[in-house]
mmCIF file of all heavy atoms in Angstrom:
data_model
loop_
_atom_site.group_PDB
_atom_site.id
_atom_site.type_symbol
_atom_site.label_atom_id
_atom_site.label_comp_id
_atom_site.label_asym_id
_atom_site.label_seq_id
_atom_site.Cartn_x
_atom_site.Cartn_y
_atom_site.Cartn_z
ATOM 1 N N ARG A 1 8.371 37.447 27.861
ATOM 2 C CA ARG A 1 7.443 37.766 28.938
ATOM 3 C C ARG A 1 7.844 39.096 29.572
ATOM 4 O O ARG A 1 8.916 39.231 30.131
ATOM 5 C CB ARG A 1 7.463 36.647 29.987
ATOM 6 C CG ARG A 1 6.374 36.793 31.034
ATOM 7 C CD ARG A 1 6.382 35.610 31.972
ATOM 8 N NE ARG A 1 7.681 35.446 32.594
ATOM 9 C CZ ARG A 1 7.981 34.450 33.416
ATOM 10 N NH1 ARG A 1 7.096 33.518 33.665
ATOM 11 N NH2 ARG A 1 9.169 34.369 33.952
ATOM 12 N N THR A 2 7.013 40.073 29.462
ATOM 13 C CA THR A 2 7.324 41.407 29.977
ATOM 14 C C THR A 2 6.317 41.797 31.052
ATOM 15 O O THR A 2 5.271 41.180 31.209
ATOM 16 C CB THR A 2 7.270 42.445 28.844
ATOM 17 O OG1 THR A 2 5.965 42.414 28.264
ATOM 18 C CG2 THR A 2 8.305 42.142 27.779
ATOM 19 N N GLU A 3 6.655 42.822 31.791
ATOM 20 C CA GLU A 3 5.729 43.358 32.799
ATOM 21 C C GLU A 3 4.695 44.187 32.060
ATOM 22 O O GLU A 3 4.918 45.353 31.734
ATOM 23 C CB GLU A 3 6.495 44.210 33.812
ATOM 24 C CG GLU A 3 5.629 44.742 34.937
ATOM 25 C CD GLU A 3 5.043 43.624 35.794
ATOM 26 O OE1 GLU A 3 5.691 42.572 35.939
ATOM 27 O OE2 GLU A 3 3.926 43.814 36.296
ATOM 28 N N THR A 4 3.567 43.584 31.750
ATOM 29 C CA THR A 4 2.556 44.201 30.908
ATOM 30 C C THR A 4 1.523 44.944 31.752
ATOM 31 O O THR A 4 1.091 44.460 32.800
ATOM 32 C CB THR A 4 1.850 43.115 30.075
ATOM 33 O OG1 THR A 4 2.832 42.371 29.372
ATOM 34 C CG2 THR A 4 0.878 43.738 29.100
ATOM 35 N N GLN A 5 1.108 46.113 31.267
ATOM 36 C CA GLN A 5 0.013 46.849 31.879
ATOM 37 C C GLN A 5 -1.300 46.385 31.241
ATOM 38 O O GLN A 5 -1.400 46.257 30.028
ATOM 39 C CB GLN A 5 0.183 48.353 31.668
ATOM 40 C CG GLN A 5 1.331 48.950 32.481
ATOM 41 C CD GLN A 5 1.035 48.948 33.976
ATOM 42 O OE1 GLN A 5 1.428 48.154 34.729
ATOM 43 N NE2 GLN A 5 0.336 49.838 34.411
ATOM 44 N N ALA A 6 -2.285 46.120 32.068
ATOM 45 C CA ALA A 6 -3.570 45.635 31.580
ATOM 46 C C ALA A 6 -4.646 46.698 31.761
ATOM 47 O O ALA A 6 -4.592 47.491 32.709
ATOM 48 C CB ALA A 6 -3.964 44.365 32.329
ATOM 49 N N LYS A 7 -5.612 46.693 30.856
ATOM 50 C CA LYS A 7 -6.747 47.614 30.935
ATOM 51 C C LYS A 7 -7.915 46.853 31.562
ATOM 52 O O LYS A 7 -8.682 46.179 30.879
ATOM 53 C CB LYS A 7 -7.112 48.128 29.549
ATOM 54 C CG LYS A 7 -5.979 48.929 28.884
ATOM 55 C CD LYS A 7 -6.325 49.289 27.445
ATOM 56 C CE LYS A 7 -5.195 50.081 26.798
ATOM 57 N NZ LYS A 7 -5.453 50.369 25.367
ATOM 58 N N LEU A 8 -8.026 46.933 32.889
ATOM 59 C CA LEU A 8 -9.043 46.199 33.627
ATOM 60 C C LEU A 8 -10.378 46.929 33.512
ATOM 61 O O LEU A 8 -10.526 48.069 33.945
ATOM 62 C CB LEU A 8 -8.638 46.068 35.091
ATOM 63 C CG LEU A 8 -9.615 45.321 36.006
ATOM 64 C CD1 LEU A 8 -9.789 43.872 35.540
ATOM 65 C CD2 LEU A 8 -9.135 45.370 37.446
ATOM 66 N N LEU A 9 -11.363 46.252 32.913
ATOM 67 C CA LEU A 9 -12.682 46.856 32.704
ATOM 68 C C LEU A 9 -13.515 46.789 33.978
ATOM 69 O O LEU A 9 -13.453 45.807 34.733
ATOM 70 C CB LEU A 9 -13.406 46.144 31.561
ATOM 71 C CG LEU A 9 -12.803 46.357 30.159
ATOM 72 C CD1 LEU A 9 -13.383 45.354 29.179
ATOM 73 C CD2 LEU A 9 -13.041 47.774 29.677
ATOM 74 N N SER A 10 -14.320 47.834 34.169
ATOM 75 C CA SER A 10 -15.169 47.878 35.358
ATOM 76 C C SER A 10 -16.647 47.758 35.015
ATOM 77 O O SER A 10 -17.498 47.812 35.889
ATOM 78 C CB SER A 10 -14.928 49.187 36.121
ATOM 79 O OG SER A 10 -15.144 50.309 35.261
ATOM 80 N N GLY A 11 -16.957 47.627 33.733
ATOM 81 C CA GLY A 11 -18.351 47.490 33.327
ATOM 82 C C GLY A 11 -18.455 46.658 32.070
ATOM 83 O O GLY A 11 -17.496 46.004 31.642
ATOM 84 N N ASP A 12 -19.631 46.684 31.439
ATOM 85 C CA ASP A 12 -19.841 45.912 30.223
ATOM 86 C C ASP A 12 -19.312 46.612 28.984
ATOM 87 O O ASP A 12 -19.138 45.981 27.939
ATOM 88 C CB ASP A 12 -21.336 45.621 30.040
ATOM 89 C CG ASP A 12 -21.874 44.708 31.127
ATOM 90 O OD1 ASP A 12 -21.062 43.932 31.682
ATOM 91 O OD2 ASP A 12 -23.084 44.791 31.418
ATOM 92 N N GLY A 13 -19.072 47.909 29.049
ATOM 93 C CA GLY A 13 -18.600 48.648 27.886
ATOM 94 C C GLY A 13 -17.087 48.625 27.765
ATOM 95 O O GLY A 13 -16.386 47.932 28.499
ATOM 96 N N ARG A 14 -16.598 49.447 26.832
ATOM 97 C CA ARG A 14 -15.154 49.513 26.609
ATOM 98 C C ARG A 14 -14.560 50.825 27.104
ATOM 99 O O ARG A 14 -13.354 51.039 26.987
ATOM 100 C CB ARG A 14 -14.848 49.374 25.108
ATOM 101 C CG ARG A 14 -15.149 48.009 24.549
ATOM 102 C CD ARG A 14 -14.525 47.860 23.177
ATOM 103 N NE ARG A 14 -15.206 48.672 22.168
ATOM 104 C CZ ARG A 14 -14.590 49.370 21.221
ATOM 105 N NH1 ARG A 14 -13.281 49.404 21.181
ATOM 106 N NH2 ARG A 14 -15.283 50.047 20.332
ATOM 107 N N ASP A 15 -15.369 51.690 27.647
ATOM 108 C CA ASP A 15 -14.906 53.033 27.983
ATOM 109 C C ASP A 15 -14.357 53.144 29.404
ATOM 110 O O ASP A 15 -13.535 54.013 29.689
ATOM 111 C CB ASP A 15 -16.049 54.037 27.812
ATOM 112 C CG ASP A 15 -16.559 54.074 26.377
ATOM 113 O OD1 ASP A 15 -15.726 53.836 25.473
ATOM 114 O OD2 ASP A 15 -17.771 54.298 26.177
ATOM 115 N N HIS A 16 -14.803 52.304 30.297
ATOM 116 C CA HIS A 16 -14.424 52.441 31.701
ATOM 117 C C HIS A 16 -13.428 51.346 32.090
ATOM 118 O O HIS A 16 -13.804 50.188 32.297
ATOM 119 C CB HIS A 16 -15.670 52.371 32.600
ATOM 120 C CG HIS A 16 -16.688 53.420 32.268
ATOM 121 N ND1 HIS A 16 -16.497 54.756 32.532
ATOM 122 C CD2 HIS A 16 -17.904 53.323 31.662
ATOM 123 C CE1 HIS A 16 -17.549 55.449 32.116
ATOM 124 N NE2 HIS A 16 -18.414 54.602 31.580
ATOM 125 N N TYR A 17 -12.195 51.719 32.157
ATOM 126 C CA TYR A 17 -11.162 50.773 32.584
ATOM 127 C C TYR A 17 -10.064 51.538 33.316
ATOM 128 O O TYR A 17 -9.954 52.764 33.232
ATOM 129 C CB TYR A 17 -10.555 50.023 31.390
ATOM 130 C CG TYR A 17 -9.832 50.881 30.381
ATOM 131 C CD1 TYR A 17 -8.513 51.288 30.595
ATOM 132 C CD2 TYR A 17 -10.457 51.285 29.196
ATOM 133 C CE1 TYR A 17 -7.841 52.076 29.664
ATOM 134 C CE2 TYR A 17 -9.802 52.074 28.269
ATOM 135 C CZ TYR A 17 -8.489 52.460 28.510
ATOM 136 O OH TYR A 17 -7.824 53.237 27.598
ATOM 137 N N ARG A 18 -9.250 50.780 34.032
ATOM 138 C CA ARG A 18 -8.097 51.375 34.700
ATOM 139 C C ARG A 18 -6.877 50.494 34.455
ATOM 140 O O ARG A 18 -6.983 49.266 34.345
ATOM 141 C CB ARG A 18 -8.352 51.531 36.198
ATOM 142 C CG ARG A 18 -8.720 50.262 36.931
ATOM 143 C CD ARG A 18 -9.185 50.555 38.364
ATOM 144 N NE ARG A 18 -9.664 49.349 39.028
ATOM 145 C CZ ARG A 18 -8.877 48.551 39.766
ATOM 146 N NH1 ARG A 18 -7.590 48.837 39.907
ATOM 147 N NH2 ARG A 18 -9.391 47.465 40.351
ATOM 148 N N ALA A 19 -5.732 51.139 34.352
ATOM 149 C CA ALA A 19 -4.487 50.422 34.081
ATOM 150 C C ALA A 19 -3.984 49.761 35.359
ATOM 151 O O ALA A 19 -3.861 50.417 36.401
ATOM 152 C CB ALA A 19 -3.440 51.373 33.522
ATOM 153 N N VAL A 20 -3.704 48.479 35.285
ATOM 154 C CA VAL A 20 -3.176 47.723 36.431
ATOM 155 C C VAL A 20 -2.047 46.829 35.924
ATOM 156 O O VAL A 20 -1.998 46.476 34.731
ATOM 157 C CB VAL A 20 -4.274 46.862 37.097
ATOM 158 C CG1 VAL A 20 -5.401 47.736 37.622
ATOM 159 C CG2 VAL A 20 -4.809 45.801 36.123
ATOM 160 N N PRO A 21 -1.117 46.429 36.783
ATOM 161 C CA PRO A 21 -0.074 45.480 36.364
ATOM 162 C C PRO A 21 -0.694 44.146 35.960
ATOM 163 O O PRO A 21 -1.639 43.671 36.615
ATOM 164 C CB PRO A 21 0.801 45.335 37.609
ATOM 165 C CG PRO A 21 0.501 46.534 38.440
ATOM 166 C CD PRO A 21 -0.925 46.877 38.168
ATOM 167 N N GLY A 22 -0.180 43.548 34.902
ATOM 168 C CA GLY A 22 -0.711 42.270 34.449
ATOM 169 C C GLY A 22 -0.599 41.184 35.501
ATOM 170 O O GLY A 22 -1.430 40.268 35.552
ATOM 171 N N THR A 23 0.424 41.298 36.379
ATOM 172 C CA THR A 23 0.619 40.270 37.406
ATOM 173 C C THR A 23 -0.435 40.330 38.505
ATOM 174 O O THR A 23 -0.543 39.410 39.318
ATOM 175 C CB THR A 23 2.007 40.427 38.039
ATOM 176 O OG1 THR A 23 2.170 41.782 38.489
ATOM 177 C CG2 THR A 23 3.101 40.105 37.034
ATOM 178 N N SER A 24 -1.214 41.413 38.556
ATOM 179 C CA SER A 24 -2.232 41.546 39.606
ATOM 180 C C SER A 24 -3.584 40.994 39.181
ATOM 181 O O SER A 24 -4.520 40.965 39.980
ATOM 182 C CB SER A 24 -2.390 43.023 40.001
ATOM 183 O OG SER A 24 -2.987 43.764 38.929
ATOM 184 N N LEU A 25 -3.711 40.555 37.933
ATOM 185 C CA LEU A 25 -4.997 40.063 37.439
ATOM 186 C C LEU A 25 -5.375 38.746 38.096
ATOM 187 O O LEU A 25 -4.524 37.888 38.352
ATOM 188 C CB LEU A 25 -4.945 39.886 35.920
ATOM 189 C CG LEU A 25 -4.775 41.173 35.100
ATOM 190 C CD1 LEU A 25 -4.558 40.836 33.632
ATOM 191 C CD2 LEU A 25 -5.995 42.082 35.269
ATOM 192 N N LYS A 26 -6.664 38.596 38.355
ATOM 193 C CA LYS A 26 -7.181 37.379 38.957
ATOM 194 C C LYS A 26 -8.085 36.658 37.956
ATOM 195 O O LYS A 26 -8.568 37.252 36.989
ATOM 196 C CB LYS A 26 -7.987 37.702 40.225
ATOM 197 C CG LYS A 26 -7.226 38.493 41.272
ATOM 198 C CD LYS A 26 -8.066 38.708 42.523
ATOM 199 C CE LYS A 26 -9.313 39.533 42.259
ATOM 200 N NZ LYS A 26 -9.022 40.908 41.811
ATOM 201 N N VAL A 27 -8.304 35.379 38.208
ATOM 202 C CA VAL A 27 -9.201 34.593 37.362
ATOM 203 C C VAL A 27 -10.586 35.226 37.392
ATOM 204 O O VAL A 27 -11.125 35.528 38.462
ATOM 205 C CB VAL A 27 -9.272 33.135 37.841
ATOM 206 C CG1 VAL A 27 -10.294 32.352 37.024
ATOM 207 C CG2 VAL A 27 -7.908 32.479 37.750
ATOM 208 N N GLY A 28 -11.158 35.462 36.226
ATOM 209 C CA GLY A 28 -12.477 36.063 36.119
ATOM 210 C C GLY A 28 -12.455 37.534 35.780
ATOM 211 O O GLY A 28 -13.487 38.089 35.356
ATOM 212 N N ASP A 29 -11.295 38.202 35.941
ATOM 213 C CA ASP A 29 -11.194 39.607 35.551
ATOM 214 C C ASP A 29 -11.397 39.740 34.047
ATOM 215 O O ASP A 29 -11.034 38.836 33.272
ATOM 216 C CB ASP A 29 -9.827 40.185 35.929
ATOM 217 C CG ASP A 29 -9.706 40.455 37.430
ATOM 218 O OD1 ASP A 29 -10.752 40.460 38.093
ATOM 219 O OD2 ASP A 29 -8.576 40.647 37.913
ATOM 220 N N VAL A 30 -11.958 40.860 33.620
ATOM 221 C CA VAL A 30 -12.173 41.122 32.195
ATOM 222 C C VAL A 30 -11.335 42.327 31.803
ATOM 223 O O VAL A 30 -11.387 43.386 32.447
ATOM 224 C CB VAL A 30 -13.662 41.388 31.890
ATOM 225 C CG1 VAL A 30 -13.857 41.716 30.409
ATOM 226 C CG2 VAL A 30 -14.498 40.168 32.274
#
């Protein structure tokens, strides 16, 4: 288990995302 960076999407496509810590993800995030 590592401190993983996640690519949090902000739309329906794959182009718009921002890097966030994996520990900050909430249920329902894509």
Side-chain angles (χ1 to χ4, degrees):
R1 189 176 56 183
T2 58
E3 183 63 31
T4 306
Q5 289 291 99
K7 298 174 180 176
L8 180 62
L9 292 166
S10 56
D12 294 334
R14 292 193 289 139
D15 299 329
H16 302 289
Y17 63 82
R18 56 190 174 91
V20 299
T23 53
S24 69
L25 294 173
K26 304 183 297 297
V27 175
D29 285 345
V30 178

